[in-house]
Amino acid sequence: MPNIIDVTDLRKNYGNFEAVKGISFCVKRGSVFAFLGANGAGKSTTIEILSTLLKKSAGHVVINGYELGKGKHNDAIRRSIGIVFQESILDDPLTVKENIMLRGRLYRLSKDTLEDNYAFVKKYLQLDDIEQKRYRSLSGGQRRRTDIARALIHRPQLLFLDEPTTGLDPETRQFVWETLNVMQRDTNMTIFFSTHYMEEAEQADYIVMIKGGEIALEGTPNALRTQFAKDRLEIVFHDEKIGEALLQQLHVSYRQKQEVFILPLASTKEAIELLETMKEDIASFEVVKGTMDDVFIAVQKNELDVLHQKSDKSVSVYE
């Protein structure tokens, strides 16, 4: 599968401050790509550069076959991409349809193409019930549906989403991602998104984590969880004091949260032996798989020694 984005040694300076410090990565065409990091890590700066809104200080970027910053290539890149910003850029007094059609005209689409494209976004984003409402009157979830429709009105090959579900309720977040996933499968559109919600990152094909303007970790969700997130065994004993004494006798490390004893596992298989040894004293138990939250928190706390194992301070993990 060819790349739709190739980034090599990308840098962005603001005076003496280097916000993006020579990062390199690629995005496969037709994939879902997650770009993660804490506030101030350089995520939004990178997205603004890739979407031609901000000039890079150095580096080489190719998007959909066009070189960023070269001649008229930026115009071609803009025609290839759609962007959903953290904050809306639509007009409050206009209706949903007026907002979307107005943005579509900026791409100089023919009348027939614009009508066809509107029918496309209307269907996927389920705009029938809100298309005649003024943008100012919409709920947060309705606004986000409209924002996404605006970004897709010209049928881009690549969609950038900068924290698209921040502030939305769980039901709306689920709807947004179900819709995006269906569209991506139906059209082979590439999705590049940043998020604070690690459960959203789980559905990406590939993840890059950035910290302090540098890539700290990258790989598939499953590979990152397997290598860097620890499974744990959660146990409730019939008698807490007996359970605590038993764990100490077995020299098992644990932490306690109310009546639950939480045991880190080197592997899921390790839980079998522990449970067999303590089965008469256990009231209930659960084996909890490691999550992307665990990986993300470990990166932020510098708990991954692997951050310094390579000269470029990044780690690639493939399945």
Side-chain angles (χ1 to χ4, degrees), residues 116-183:
D116 288 344
N117 288 4
Y118 180 76
F120 169 81
V121 298
K122 177 180 176 179
K123 169 189 171 184
Y124 279 99
L125 277 303
Q126 299 180 21
L127 303 178
D128 301 75
D129 59 330
I130 63 171
E131 66 176 341
Q132 298 305 325
K133 290 185 177 181
R134 298 193 185 280
Y135 189 76
R136 69 159 68 95
S137 68
L138 302 181
S139 68
Q142 292 170 338
R143 285 177 176 240
R144 187 48 83 198
R145 284 157 56 192
T146 307
D147 295 339
I148 295 172
R150 185 270 310 161
L152 296 173
I153 188 60
H154 60 300
R155 301 290 296 271
Q157 298 178 52
L158 170 62
L159 178 65
F160 287 103
L161 300 149
D162 193 3
E163 299 185 16
T165 61
T166 297
L168 300 183
D169 61 83
E171 183 179 1
T172 304
R173 285 170 52 199
Q174 183 179 6
F175 169 79
V176 166
W177 276 108
E178 286 176 350
T179 301
L180 289 170
N181 287 331
V182 170
M183 292 182 67

Side-chain angles (χ1 to χ4, degrees), residues 213-281:
E214 298 178 288
I215 293 177
L217 204 62
E218 60 180 295
T220 64
N222 186 61
L224 292 176
R225 285 194 312 270
T226 299
Q227 186 161 353
F228 301 117
K230 297 294 185 183
D231 295 348
R232 60 187 183 273
L233 176 61
E234 298 187 355
I235 299 174
V236 175
F237 292 100
H238 293 296
D239 185 304
E240 285 187 30
K241 291 184 177 179
I242 292 176
E244 185 174 7
L246 184 56
L247 291 174
Q248 292 174 354
Q249 180 182 341
L250 294 172
H251 303 290
V252 175
S253 61
Y254 67 90
R255 62 184 176 88
Q256 189 173 357
K257 186 176 181 181
Q258 297 178 347
E259 74 277 11
V260 181
F261 290 81
I262 303 171
L263 290 61
L265 298 171
S267 67
T268 306
K269 187 177 179 180
E270 183 184 0
I272 298 174
E273 294 180 6
L274 289 170
L275 291 170
E276 180 64 28
T277 303
M278 301 181 290
K279 62 182 180 182
E280 300 300 329
D281 299 291

Side-chain angles (χ1 to χ4, degrees), residues 21-24 213-218 306-316:
K21 303 176 181 178
I23 63 175
S24 300
E214 298 178 288
I215 293 177
L217 204 62
E218 60 180 295
V306 294
L307 292 179
H308 303 288
Q309 287 180 358
K310 291 190 175 183
S311 59
D312 64 359
K313 297 184 181 179
S314 69
V315 178
S316 295

